[in-house]
Amino acid sequence: SQQGEEDPQALSIQEGENATMNCSYKTSINNLQWYRQNSGRGLVHLILIRSNEREKHSGRLRVTLDTSKKSSSLLITASRAADTASYFCATPEGDNYGQNFVFGPGTRLSVLP
Amino acid sequence: DAGVIQSPRHEVTEMGQEVTLRCKPISGHNSLFWYRQTMMRGLELLIYFNNNVPIDDSGMPEDRFSAKMPNASFSTLKIQPSEPRDSAVYFCASSLHSGEPQPQHFGDGTRLSIL
């Protein structure tokens, strides 16, 4: 099965700094999604990027997708303590047209005040 | 605007007991997913439904696990009999299957502890 693998596993930064997380996957996809999970809560969808897109922005978030390298990155600019959470990439399972996604193990981000 | 609602939020029970987890998806969504999250294995898909029909249950670990979706607004995940290794956080998620990639919307999970 396709599985995104996030890197690094854990990241600790100071408030105001930028945080970059990477995701690598194994086979061709038609889209890739990023999610955030706060402690004790469910996953929250952040951004969806399609295979024909190279970059997408949402507020302080910037996601890139390089299909030739089978990798994606999530950049959080001007981080805040409230950004402390785990971040997951999700890639489609199977024929890419279904709704089934495989989630990576996640990156634990700690933003220190 | 109500999100995915799961109940109970916490469940502690003794091994051998039957456990039933409940989920109400977002109104209008036609896909529903059950996941299990543990430190060791991360987030695993157990089963998912489209239009109330189970599509893929290959992630269901054993016959002790069963899931139903009797209508578009309700689903259950049942474990009988429960074992300590079933302890995990169980999430339900829903989405709108439209032929285009869609995000999944997660509930806040049920933290299950089997003693």
PDB file of all heavy atoms in Angstrom, chain A residues 30-31 33 35 37 40-43 45 48 50 88 97 99-101 103, chain B residues 9 33 35 37 43 45 48 91 95 97 100-104 106-108:
ATOM      1  N   ASN A  30      -2.968  11.013  -7.148  1.00  0.00           N
ATOM      2  CA  ASN A  30      -3.646  12.139  -7.806  1.00  0.00           C
ATOM      3  C   ASN A  30      -3.866  13.306  -6.843  1.00  0.00           C
ATOM      4  O   ASN A  30      -4.266  14.385  -7.267  1.00  0.00           O
ATOM      5  CB  ASN A  30      -4.956  11.701  -8.444  1.00  0.00           C
ATOM      6  CG  ASN A  30      -6.008  11.318  -7.421  1.00  0.00           C
ATOM      7  OD1 ASN A  30      -5.726  11.174  -6.236  1.00  0.00           O
ATOM      8  ND2 ASN A  30      -7.235  11.166  -7.878  1.00  0.00           N
ATOM      9  N   ASN A  31      -3.617  13.053  -5.539  1.00  0.00           N
ATOM     10  CA  ASN A  31      -3.677  14.147  -4.584  1.00  0.00           C
ATOM     11  C   ASN A  31      -2.998  13.724  -3.290  1.00  0.00           C
ATOM     12  O   ASN A  31      -2.787  12.521  -3.046  1.00  0.00           O
ATOM     13  CB  ASN A  31      -5.128  14.583  -4.323  1.00  0.00           C
ATOM     14  CG  ASN A  31      -5.858  13.647  -3.367  1.00  0.00           C
ATOM     15  OD1 ASN A  31      -6.009  13.921  -2.184  1.00  0.00           O
ATOM     16  ND2 ASN A  31      -6.331  12.505  -3.900  1.00  0.00           N
ATOM     17  N   GLN A  33      -2.881  14.985   0.999  1.00  0.00           N
ATOM     18  CA  GLN A  33      -3.515  15.856   1.983  1.00  0.00           C
ATOM     19  C   GLN A  33      -2.655  15.941   3.249  1.00  0.00           C
ATOM     20  O   GLN A  33      -1.974  14.979   3.599  1.00  0.00           O
ATOM     21  CB  GLN A  33      -4.918  15.326   2.323  1.00  0.00           C
ATOM     22  CG  GLN A  33      -5.815  15.212   1.107  1.00  0.00           C
ATOM     23  CD  GLN A  33      -7.236  14.813   1.447  1.00  0.00           C
ATOM     24  OE1 GLN A  33      -7.690  14.954   2.582  1.00  0.00           O
ATOM     25  NE2 GLN A  33      -7.955  14.307   0.454  1.00  0.00           N
ATOM     26  N   TYR A  35      -2.907  16.889   7.421  1.00  0.00           N
ATOM     27  CA  TYR A  35      -3.813  16.998   8.560  1.00  0.00           C
ATOM     28  C   TYR A  35      -3.022  17.382   9.801  1.00  0.00           C
ATOM     29  O   TYR A  35      -1.831  17.076   9.928  1.00  0.00           O
ATOM     30  CB  TYR A  35      -4.527  15.661   8.827  1.00  0.00           C
ATOM     31  CG  TYR A  35      -5.557  15.270   7.803  1.00  0.00           C
ATOM     32  CD1 TYR A  35      -5.173  14.754   6.554  1.00  0.00           C
ATOM     33  CD2 TYR A  35      -6.923  15.410   8.071  1.00  0.00           C
ATOM     34  CE1 TYR A  35      -6.122  14.392   5.614  1.00  0.00           C
ATOM     35  CE2 TYR A  35      -7.883  15.044   7.130  1.00  0.00           C
ATOM     36  CZ  TYR A  35      -7.472  14.536   5.909  1.00  0.00           C
ATOM     37  OH  TYR A  35      -8.417  14.181   4.972  1.00  0.00           O
ATOM     38  N   GLN A  37      -3.261  17.187  14.181  1.00  0.00           N
ATOM     39  CA  GLN A  37      -3.941  16.577  15.313  1.00  0.00           C
ATOM     40  C   GLN A  37      -3.411  17.188  16.602  1.00  0.00           C
ATOM     41  O   GLN A  37      -2.235  17.032  16.938  1.00  0.00           O
ATOM     42  CB  GLN A  37      -3.743  15.063  15.350  1.00  0.00           C
ATOM     43  CG  GLN A  37      -4.516  14.381  16.487  1.00  0.00           C
ATOM     44  CD  GLN A  37      -4.332  12.872  16.516  1.00  0.00           C
ATOM     45  OE1 GLN A  37      -3.298  12.343  16.120  1.00  0.00           O
ATOM     46  NE2 GLN A  37      -5.356  12.159  16.968  1.00  0.00           N
ATOM     47  N   GLY A  40      -5.316  14.792  22.171  1.00  0.00           N
ATOM     48  CA  GLY A  40      -6.637  14.405  22.646  1.00  0.00           C
ATOM     49  C   GLY A  40      -7.779  14.723  21.695  1.00  0.00           C
ATOM     50  O   GLY A  40      -8.944  14.589  22.087  1.00  0.00           O
ATOM     51  N   ARG A  41      -7.456  15.120  20.480  1.00  0.00           N
ATOM     52  CA  ARG A  41      -8.496  15.491  19.524  1.00  0.00           C
ATOM     53  C   ARG A  41      -8.366  14.679  18.251  1.00  0.00           C
ATOM     54  O   ARG A  41      -7.403  13.936  18.042  1.00  0.00           O
ATOM     55  CB  ARG A  41      -8.393  16.986  19.178  1.00  0.00           C
ATOM     56  CG  ARG A  41      -8.442  17.926  20.372  1.00  0.00           C
ATOM     57  CD  ARG A  41      -9.771  17.849  21.109  1.00  0.00           C
ATOM     58  NE  ARG A  41     -10.902  18.212  20.296  1.00  0.00           N
ATOM     59  CZ  ARG A  41     -11.354  19.447  20.138  1.00  0.00           C
ATOM     60  NH1 ARG A  41     -10.738  20.463  20.735  1.00  0.00           N
ATOM     61  NH2 ARG A  41     -12.413  19.692  19.380  1.00  0.00           N
ATOM     62  N   GLY A  42      -9.369  14.806  17.390  1.00  0.00           N
ATOM     63  CA  GLY A  42      -9.302  14.147  16.097  1.00  0.00           C
ATOM     64  C   GLY A  42      -8.451  14.926  15.103  1.00  0.00           C
ATOM     65  O   GLY A  42      -8.025  16.043  15.372  1.00  0.00           O
ATOM     66  N   LEU A  43      -8.198  14.304  13.965  1.00  0.00           N
ATOM     67  CA  LEU A  43      -7.417  14.977  12.921  1.00  0.00           C
ATOM     68  C   LEU A  43      -8.260  16.055  12.250  1.00  0.00           C
ATOM     69  O   LEU A  43      -9.461  15.883  12.055  1.00  0.00           O
ATOM     70  CB  LEU A  43      -6.949  13.975  11.870  1.00  0.00           C
ATOM     71  CG  LEU A  43      -5.706  13.152  12.210  1.00  0.00           C
ATOM     72  CD1 LEU A  43      -5.984  12.137  13.286  1.00  0.00           C
ATOM     73  CD2 LEU A  43      -5.150  12.480  10.960  1.00  0.00           C
ATOM     74  N   HIS A  45      -8.367  18.488   8.816  1.00  0.00           N
ATOM     75  CA  HIS A  45      -7.824  18.671   7.478  1.00  0.00           C
ATOM     76  C   HIS A  45      -7.263  20.076   7.326  1.00  0.00           C
ATOM     77  O   HIS A  45      -7.904  21.062   7.693  1.00  0.00           O
ATOM     78  CB  HIS A  45      -8.932  18.442   6.449  1.00  0.00           C
ATOM     79  CG  HIS A  45      -8.472  18.619   5.036  1.00  0.00           C
ATOM     80  ND1 HIS A  45      -8.692  19.777   4.322  1.00  0.00           N
ATOM     81  CD2 HIS A  45      -7.779  17.801   4.223  1.00  0.00           C
ATOM     82  CE1 HIS A  45      -8.173  19.644   3.119  1.00  0.00           C
ATOM     83  NE2 HIS A  45      -7.617  18.453   3.036  1.00  0.00           N
ATOM     84  N   LEU A  48      -5.328  20.275   0.756  1.00  0.00           N
ATOM     85  CA  LEU A  48      -5.297  19.225  -0.260  1.00  0.00           C
ATOM     86  C   LEU A  48      -4.574  19.776  -1.465  1.00  0.00           C
ATOM     87  O   LEU A  48      -4.887  20.881  -1.925  1.00  0.00           O
ATOM     88  CB  LEU A  48      -6.722  18.815  -0.616  1.00  0.00           C
ATOM     89  CG  LEU A  48      -6.961  17.679  -1.622  1.00  0.00           C
ATOM     90  CD1 LEU A  48      -8.344  17.085  -1.374  1.00  0.00           C
ATOM     91  CD2 LEU A  48      -6.839  18.148  -3.069  1.00  0.00           C
ATOM     92  N   ARG A  50      -3.411  18.733  -5.420  1.00  0.00           N
ATOM     93  CA  ARG A  50      -3.593  17.770  -6.496  1.00  0.00           C
ATOM     94  C   ARG A  50      -2.272  17.538  -7.217  1.00  0.00           C
ATOM     95  O   ARG A  50      -1.350  18.359  -7.156  1.00  0.00           O
ATOM     96  CB  ARG A  50      -4.650  18.269  -7.478  1.00  0.00           C
ATOM     97  CG  ARG A  50      -6.023  18.402  -6.854  1.00  0.00           C
ATOM     98  CD  ARG A  50      -6.995  19.094  -7.796  1.00  0.00           C
ATOM     99  NE  ARG A  50      -8.263  19.367  -7.147  1.00  0.00           N
ATOM    100  CZ  ARG A  50      -9.311  18.545  -7.186  1.00  0.00           C
ATOM    101  NH1 ARG A  50      -9.232  17.428  -7.870  1.00  0.00           N
ATOM    102  NH2 ARG A  50     -10.427  18.867  -6.560  1.00  0.00           N
ATOM    103  N   PHE A  88       0.210  15.135   9.865  1.00  0.00           N
ATOM    104  CA  PHE A  88       0.205  13.902   9.089  1.00  0.00           C
ATOM    105  C   PHE A  88      -0.016  14.213   7.613  1.00  0.00           C
ATOM    106  O   PHE A  88      -0.834  15.073   7.269  1.00  0.00           O
ATOM    107  CB  PHE A  88      -0.935  12.983   9.546  1.00  0.00           C
ATOM    108  CG  PHE A  88      -0.842  12.529  10.967  1.00  0.00           C
ATOM    109  CD1 PHE A  88      -1.370  13.305  11.996  1.00  0.00           C
ATOM    110  CD2 PHE A  88      -0.237  11.326  11.291  1.00  0.00           C
ATOM    111  CE1 PHE A  88      -1.295  12.896  13.318  1.00  0.00           C
ATOM    112  CE2 PHE A  88      -0.162  10.907  12.610  1.00  0.00           C
ATOM    113  CZ  PHE A  88      -0.684  11.691  13.620  1.00  0.00           C
ATOM    114  N   TYR A  97      -9.059   6.909  -6.953  1.00  0.00           N
ATOM    115  CA  TYR A  97     -10.337   7.577  -7.131  1.00  0.00           C
ATOM    116  C   TYR A  97     -11.279   7.310  -5.965  1.00  0.00           C
ATOM    117  O   TYR A  97     -12.354   7.842  -5.907  1.00  0.00           O
ATOM    118  CB  TYR A  97     -10.974   7.130  -8.448  1.00  0.00           C
ATOM    119  CG  TYR A  97     -10.157   7.574  -9.634  1.00  0.00           C
ATOM    120  CD1 TYR A  97      -9.274   6.711 -10.254  1.00  0.00           C
ATOM    121  CD2 TYR A  97     -10.265   8.879 -10.106  1.00  0.00           C
ATOM    122  CE1 TYR A  97      -8.514   7.130 -11.322  1.00  0.00           C
ATOM    123  CE2 TYR A  97      -9.510   9.301 -11.175  1.00  0.00           C
ATOM    124  CZ  TYR A  97      -8.638   8.421 -11.779  1.00  0.00           C
ATOM    125  OH  TYR A  97      -7.879   8.843 -12.833  1.00  0.00           O
ATOM    126  N   GLN A  99     -12.008   6.940  -1.688  1.00  0.00           N
ATOM    127  CA  GLN A  99     -11.886   7.881  -0.592  1.00  0.00           C
ATOM    128  C   GLN A  99     -10.985   7.351   0.496  1.00  0.00           C
ATOM    129  O   GLN A  99     -10.870   7.970   1.539  1.00  0.00           O
ATOM    130  CB  GLN A  99     -13.279   8.160  -0.024  1.00  0.00           C
ATOM    131  CG  GLN A  99     -14.176   8.884  -1.007  1.00  0.00           C
ATOM    132  CD  GLN A  99     -13.640  10.260  -1.356  1.00  0.00           C
ATOM    133  OE1 GLN A  99     -13.426  11.090  -0.504  1.00  0.00           O
ATOM    134  NE2 GLN A  99     -13.392  10.489  -2.634  1.00  0.00           N
ATOM    135  N   ASN A 100     -10.350   6.235   0.263  1.00  0.00           N
ATOM    136  CA  ASN A 100      -9.534   5.600   1.270  1.00  0.00           C
ATOM    137  C   ASN A 100      -8.122   6.168   1.246  1.00  0.00           C
ATOM    138  O   ASN A 100      -7.453   6.148   0.220  1.00  0.00           O
ATOM    139  CB  ASN A 100      -9.500   4.088   1.001  1.00  0.00           C
ATOM    140  CG  ASN A 100      -8.709   3.350   2.044  1.00  0.00           C
ATOM    141  OD1 ASN A 100      -8.304   3.921   3.042  1.00  0.00           O
ATOM    142  ND2 ASN A 100      -8.481   2.079   1.807  1.00  0.00           N
ATOM    143  N   PHE A 101      -7.670   6.703   2.373  1.00  0.00           N
ATOM    144  CA  PHE A 101      -6.340   7.290   2.480  1.00  0.00           C
ATOM    145  C   PHE A 101      -5.500   6.528   3.493  1.00  0.00           C
ATOM    146  O   PHE A 101      -6.011   5.973   4.458  1.00  0.00           O
ATOM    147  CB  PHE A 101      -6.425   8.757   2.901  1.00  0.00           C
ATOM    148  CG  PHE A 101      -6.821   9.658   1.776  1.00  0.00           C
ATOM    149  CD1 PHE A 101      -8.142   9.778   1.392  1.00  0.00           C
ATOM    150  CD2 PHE A 101      -5.863  10.386   1.085  1.00  0.00           C
ATOM    151  CE1 PHE A 101      -8.508  10.595   0.337  1.00  0.00           C
ATOM    152  CE2 PHE A 101      -6.215  11.215   0.026  1.00  0.00           C
ATOM    153  CZ  PHE A 101      -7.540  11.314  -0.341  1.00  0.00           C
ATOM    154  N   PHE A 103      -2.439   7.134   6.159  1.00  0.00           N
ATOM    155  CA  PHE A 103      -1.781   8.204   6.901  1.00  0.00           C
ATOM    156  C   PHE A 103      -0.391   7.761   7.346  1.00  0.00           C
ATOM    157  O   PHE A 103      -0.192   6.619   7.761  1.00  0.00           O
ATOM    158  CB  PHE A 103      -2.611   8.579   8.132  1.00  0.00           C
ATOM    159  CG  PHE A 103      -3.894   9.279   7.797  1.00  0.00           C
ATOM    160  CD1 PHE A 103      -5.009   8.560   7.385  1.00  0.00           C
ATOM    161  CD2 PHE A 103      -3.980  10.667   7.871  1.00  0.00           C
ATOM    162  CE1 PHE A 103      -6.193   9.204   7.064  1.00  0.00           C
ATOM    163  CE2 PHE A 103      -5.154  11.319   7.551  1.00  0.00           C
ATOM    164  CZ  PHE A 103      -6.263  10.586   7.143  1.00  0.00           C
TER     165      PHE A 103
ATOM    166  N   ARG B   9     -16.776   9.225  24.755  1.00  0.00           N
ATOM    167  CA  ARG B   9     -15.429   9.778  24.579  1.00  0.00           C
ATOM    168  C   ARG B   9     -14.384   8.896  25.249  1.00  0.00           C
ATOM    169  O   ARG B   9     -13.248   8.804  24.787  1.00  0.00           O
ATOM    170  CB  ARG B   9     -15.345  11.190  25.159  1.00  0.00           C
ATOM    171  CG  ARG B   9     -16.042  12.251  24.355  1.00  0.00           C
ATOM    172  CD  ARG B   9     -15.434  12.437  22.949  1.00  0.00           C
ATOM    173  NE  ARG B   9     -13.986  12.494  22.925  1.00  0.00           N
ATOM    174  CZ  ARG B   9     -13.271  13.594  23.130  1.00  0.00           C
ATOM    175  NH1 ARG B   9     -13.877  14.728  23.400  1.00  0.00           N
ATOM    176  NH2 ARG B   9     -11.947  13.557  23.066  1.00  0.00           N
ATOM    177  N   PHE B  33     -15.662   6.264   7.772  1.00  0.00           N
ATOM    178  CA  PHE B  33     -14.442   5.508   8.020  1.00  0.00           C
ATOM    179  C   PHE B  33     -14.272   5.276   9.522  1.00  0.00           C
ATOM    180  O   PHE B  33     -14.523   6.172  10.322  1.00  0.00           O
ATOM    181  CB  PHE B  33     -13.218   6.294   7.528  1.00  0.00           C
ATOM    182  CG  PHE B  33     -13.323   6.762   6.102  1.00  0.00           C
ATOM    183  CD1 PHE B  33     -14.025   7.910   5.782  1.00  0.00           C
ATOM    184  CD2 PHE B  33     -12.706   6.053   5.081  1.00  0.00           C
ATOM    185  CE1 PHE B  33     -14.129   8.350   4.470  1.00  0.00           C
ATOM    186  CE2 PHE B  33     -12.799   6.476   3.771  1.00  0.00           C
ATOM    187  CZ  PHE B  33     -13.511   7.625   3.462  1.00  0.00           C
ATOM    188  N   TYR B  35     -11.210   4.268  12.169  1.00  0.00           N
ATOM    189  CA  TYR B  35      -9.761   4.132  12.327  1.00  0.00           C
ATOM    190  C   TYR B  35      -9.439   3.751  13.773  1.00  0.00           C
ATOM    191  O   TYR B  35     -10.202   4.041  14.691  1.00  0.00           O
ATOM    192  CB  TYR B  35      -9.050   5.469  12.054  1.00  0.00           C
ATOM    193  CG  TYR B  35      -9.084   5.958  10.631  1.00  0.00           C
ATOM    194  CD1 TYR B  35     -10.100   6.799  10.194  1.00  0.00           C
ATOM    195  CD2 TYR B  35      -8.071   5.616   9.728  1.00  0.00           C
ATOM    196  CE1 TYR B  35     -10.117   7.281   8.894  1.00  0.00           C
ATOM    197  CE2 TYR B  35      -8.076   6.101   8.420  1.00  0.00           C
ATOM    198  CZ  TYR B  35      -9.109   6.929   8.016  1.00  0.00           C
ATOM    199  OH  TYR B  35      -9.114   7.408   6.730  1.00  0.00           O
ATOM    200  N   GLN B  37      -6.041   4.254  16.423  1.00  0.00           N
ATOM    201  CA  GLN B  37      -4.744   4.915  16.570  1.00  0.00           C
ATOM    202  C   GLN B  37      -4.046   4.430  17.826  1.00  0.00           C
ATOM    203  O   GLN B  37      -4.614   4.486  18.918  1.00  0.00           O
ATOM    204  CB  GLN B  37      -4.907   6.439  16.625  1.00  0.00           C
ATOM    205  CG  GLN B  37      -3.577   7.193  16.619  1.00  0.00           C
ATOM    206  CD  GLN B  37      -3.758   8.704  16.599  1.00  0.00           C
ATOM    207  OE1 GLN B  37      -4.620   9.258  17.271  1.00  0.00           O
ATOM    208  NE2 GLN B  37      -2.956   9.388  15.788  1.00  0.00           N
ATOM    209  N   LEU B  43      -2.080   5.429  12.858  1.00  0.00           N
ATOM    210  CA  LEU B  43      -3.490   5.481  12.483  1.00  0.00           C
ATOM    211  C   LEU B  43      -3.759   4.406  11.430  1.00  0.00           C
ATOM    212  O   LEU B  43      -3.205   4.439  10.344  1.00  0.00           O
ATOM    213  CB  LEU B  43      -3.810   6.867  11.930  1.00  0.00           C
ATOM    214  CG  LEU B  43      -5.275   7.249  11.782  1.00  0.00           C
ATOM    215  CD1 LEU B  43      -5.935   7.360  13.141  1.00  0.00           C
ATOM    216  CD2 LEU B  43      -5.393   8.576  11.038  1.00  0.00           C
ATOM    217  N   LEU B  45      -6.679   2.228   9.205  1.00  0.00           N
ATOM    218  CA  LEU B  45      -8.063   2.143   8.740  1.00  0.00           C
ATOM    219  C   LEU B  45      -8.594   0.744   9.030  1.00  0.00           C
ATOM    220  O   LEU B  45      -7.984  -0.251   8.668  1.00  0.00           O
ATOM    221  CB  LEU B  45      -8.142   2.420   7.244  1.00  0.00           C
ATOM    222  CG  LEU B  45      -9.530   2.289   6.637  1.00  0.00           C
ATOM    223  CD1 LEU B  45     -10.443   3.413   7.133  1.00  0.00           C
ATOM    224  CD2 LEU B  45      -9.459   2.312   5.116  1.00  0.00           C
ATOM    225  N   TYR B  48     -14.354   0.983   5.850  1.00  0.00           N
ATOM    226  CA  TYR B  48     -15.068   2.160   5.410  1.00  0.00           C
ATOM    227  C   TYR B  48     -16.298   1.784   4.596  1.00  0.00           C
ATOM    228  O   TYR B  48     -16.351   0.713   3.981  1.00  0.00           O
ATOM    229  CB  TYR B  48     -14.163   3.167   4.712  1.00  0.00           C
ATOM    230  CG  TYR B  48     -13.836   2.915   3.259  1.00  0.00           C
ATOM    231  CD1 TYR B  48     -14.566   3.530   2.233  1.00  0.00           C
ATOM    232  CD2 TYR B  48     -12.749   2.134   2.902  1.00  0.00           C
ATOM    233  CE1 TYR B  48     -14.211   3.352   0.908  1.00  0.00           C
ATOM    234  CE2 TYR B  48     -12.403   1.940   1.584  1.00  0.00           C
ATOM    235  CZ  TYR B  48     -13.137   2.556   0.580  1.00  0.00           C
ATOM    236  OH  TYR B  48     -12.783   2.373  -0.739  1.00  0.00           O
ATOM    237  N   PHE B  91     -11.251   6.338  16.005  1.00  0.00           N
ATOM    238  CA  PHE B  91     -11.791   7.516  15.354  1.00  0.00           C
ATOM    239  C   PHE B  91     -12.779   7.120  14.271  1.00  0.00           C
ATOM    240  O   PHE B  91     -12.595   6.120  13.560  1.00  0.00           O
ATOM    241  CB  PHE B  91     -10.676   8.345  14.709  1.00  0.00           C
ATOM    242  CG  PHE B  91      -9.799   9.061  15.688  1.00  0.00           C
ATOM    243  CD1 PHE B  91      -8.547   8.571  16.007  1.00  0.00           C
ATOM    244  CD2 PHE B  91     -10.231  10.247  16.280  1.00  0.00           C
ATOM    245  CE1 PHE B  91      -7.739   9.230  16.914  1.00  0.00           C
ATOM    246  CE2 PHE B  91      -9.422  10.914  17.182  1.00  0.00           C
ATOM    247  CZ  PHE B  91      -8.180  10.397  17.494  1.00  0.00           C
ATOM    248  N   SER B  95     -16.792  11.753   4.881  1.00  0.00           N
ATOM    249  CA  SER B  95     -16.472  12.626   3.752  1.00  0.00           C
ATOM    250  C   SER B  95     -17.582  12.517   2.718  1.00  0.00           C
ATOM    251  O   SER B  95     -18.449  11.640   2.800  1.00  0.00           O
ATOM    252  CB  SER B  95     -15.125  12.256   3.129  1.00  0.00           C
ATOM    253  OG  SER B  95     -15.198  11.013   2.454  1.00  0.00           O
ATOM    254  N   HIS B  97     -18.171  11.591  -0.919  1.00  0.00           N
ATOM    255  CA  HIS B  97     -17.572  10.911  -2.059  1.00  0.00           C
ATOM    256  C   HIS B  97     -18.223  11.418  -3.327  1.00  0.00           C
ATOM    257  O   HIS B  97     -19.389  11.131  -3.596  1.00  0.00           O
ATOM    258  CB  HIS B  97     -17.762   9.402  -1.927  1.00  0.00           C
ATOM    259  CG  HIS B  97     -17.055   8.624  -2.988  1.00  0.00           C
ATOM    260  ND1 HIS B  97     -17.246   7.279  -3.165  1.00  0.00           N
ATOM    261  CD2 HIS B  97     -16.163   9.001  -3.927  1.00  0.00           C
ATOM    262  CE1 HIS B  97     -16.492   6.863  -4.171  1.00  0.00           C
ATOM    263  NE2 HIS B  97     -15.834   7.885  -4.648  1.00  0.00           N
ATOM    264  N   GLU B 100     -14.254  13.283  -6.900  1.00  0.00           N
ATOM    265  CA  GLU B 100     -13.112  14.186  -6.777  1.00  0.00           C
ATOM    266  C   GLU B 100     -12.495  13.996  -5.390  1.00  0.00           C
ATOM    267  O   GLU B 100     -13.206  13.651  -4.439  1.00  0.00           O
ATOM    268  CB  GLU B 100     -13.556  15.647  -6.930  1.00  0.00           C
ATOM    269  CG  GLU B 100     -14.011  15.999  -8.332  1.00  0.00           C
ATOM    270  CD  GLU B 100     -12.843  16.028  -9.297  1.00  0.00           C
ATOM    271  OE1 GLU B 100     -11.771  16.497  -8.893  1.00  0.00           O
ATOM    272  OE2 GLU B 100     -13.012  15.550 -10.440  1.00  0.00           O
ATOM    273  N   PRO B 101     -11.190  14.227  -5.258  1.00  0.00           N
ATOM    274  CA  PRO B 101     -10.578  14.110  -3.923  1.00  0.00           C
ATOM    275  C   PRO B 101     -11.255  15.028  -2.914  1.00  0.00           C
ATOM    276  O   PRO B 101     -11.523  16.190  -3.204  1.00  0.00           O
ATOM    277  CB  PRO B 101      -9.131  14.542  -4.177  1.00  0.00           C
ATOM    278  CG  PRO B 101      -8.904  14.309  -5.627  1.00  0.00           C
ATOM    279  CD  PRO B 101     -10.210  14.575  -6.298  1.00  0.00           C
ATOM    280  N   GLN B 102     -11.540  14.481  -1.748  1.00  0.00           N
ATOM    281  CA  GLN B 102     -12.233  15.232  -0.715  1.00  0.00           C
ATOM    282  C   GLN B 102     -11.533  15.045   0.620  1.00  0.00           C
ATOM    283  O   GLN B 102     -10.957  13.980   0.878  1.00  0.00           O
ATOM    284  CB  GLN B 102     -13.683  14.747  -0.583  1.00  0.00           C
ATOM    285  CG  GLN B 102     -14.546  14.984  -1.808  1.00  0.00           C
ATOM    286  CD  GLN B 102     -14.861  16.447  -2.024  1.00  0.00           C
ATOM    287  OE1 GLN B 102     -14.773  17.257  -1.102  1.00  0.00           O
ATOM    288  NE2 GLN B 102     -15.232  16.795  -3.243  1.00  0.00           N
ATOM    289  N   PRO B 103     -11.595  16.026   1.489  1.00  0.00           N
ATOM    290  CA  PRO B 103     -11.018  15.839   2.827  1.00  0.00           C
ATOM    291  C   PRO B 103     -11.903  14.949   3.681  1.00  0.00           C
ATOM    292  O   PRO B 103     -13.109  14.831   3.431  1.00  0.00           O
ATOM    293  CB  PRO B 103     -10.979  17.263   3.389  1.00  0.00           C
ATOM    294  CG  PRO B 103     -12.085  17.964   2.690  1.00  0.00           C
ATOM    295  CD  PRO B 103     -12.142  17.371   1.309  1.00  0.00           C
ATOM    296  N   GLN B 104     -11.299  14.346   4.677  1.00  0.00           N
ATOM    297  CA  GLN B 104     -12.058  13.595   5.665  1.00  0.00           C
ATOM    298  C   GLN B 104     -12.205  14.450   6.922  1.00  0.00           C
ATOM    299  O   GLN B 104     -11.307  15.181   7.308  1.00  0.00           O
ATOM    300  CB  GLN B 104     -11.342  12.281   6.002  1.00  0.00           C
ATOM    301  CG  GLN B 104     -11.295  11.320   4.820  1.00  0.00           C
ATOM    302  CD  GLN B 104     -10.747   9.960   5.196  1.00  0.00           C
ATOM    303  OE1 GLN B 104     -10.541   9.652   6.363  1.00  0.00           O
ATOM    304  NE2 GLN B 104     -10.510   9.118   4.196  1.00  0.00           N
ATOM    305  N   PHE B 106     -12.899  14.285  10.916  1.00  0.00           N
ATOM    306  CA  PHE B 106     -12.774  13.342  12.011  1.00  0.00           C
ATOM    307  C   PHE B 106     -13.568  13.782  13.243  1.00  0.00           C
ATOM    308  O   PHE B 106     -13.659  14.988  13.543  1.00  0.00           O
ATOM    309  CB  PHE B 106     -11.305  13.203  12.426  1.00  0.00           C
ATOM    310  CG  PHE B 106     -10.485  12.367  11.492  1.00  0.00           C
ATOM    311  CD1 PHE B 106     -10.109  12.837  10.251  1.00  0.00           C
ATOM    312  CD2 PHE B 106     -10.089  11.090  11.854  1.00  0.00           C
ATOM    313  CE1 PHE B 106      -9.356  12.060   9.376  1.00  0.00           C
ATOM    314  CE2 PHE B 106      -9.325  10.311  10.999  1.00  0.00           C
ATOM    315  CZ  PHE B 106      -8.960  10.787   9.763  1.00  0.00           C
ATOM    316  N   GLY B 107     -14.083  12.783  13.962  1.00  0.00           N
ATOM    317  CA  GLY B 107     -14.581  13.042  15.301  1.00  0.00           C
ATOM    318  C   GLY B 107     -13.413  13.114  16.275  1.00  0.00           C
ATOM    319  O   GLY B 107     -12.248  12.929  15.887  1.00  0.00           O
ATOM    320  N   ASP B 108     -13.715  13.372  17.525  1.00  0.00           N
ATOM    321  CA  ASP B 108     -12.659  13.489  18.534  1.00  0.00           C
ATOM    322  C   ASP B 108     -12.278  12.155  19.163  1.00  0.00           C
ATOM    323  O   ASP B 108     -11.452  12.118  20.075  1.00  0.00           O
ATOM    324  CB  ASP B 108     -13.069  14.487  19.620  1.00  0.00           C
ATOM    325  CG  ASP B 108     -12.797  15.923  19.191  1.00  0.00           C
ATOM    326  OD1 ASP B 108     -11.906  16.131  18.338  1.00  0.00           O
ATOM    327  OD2 ASP B 108     -13.482  16.833  19.701  1.00  0.00           O
TER     328      ASP B 108
END
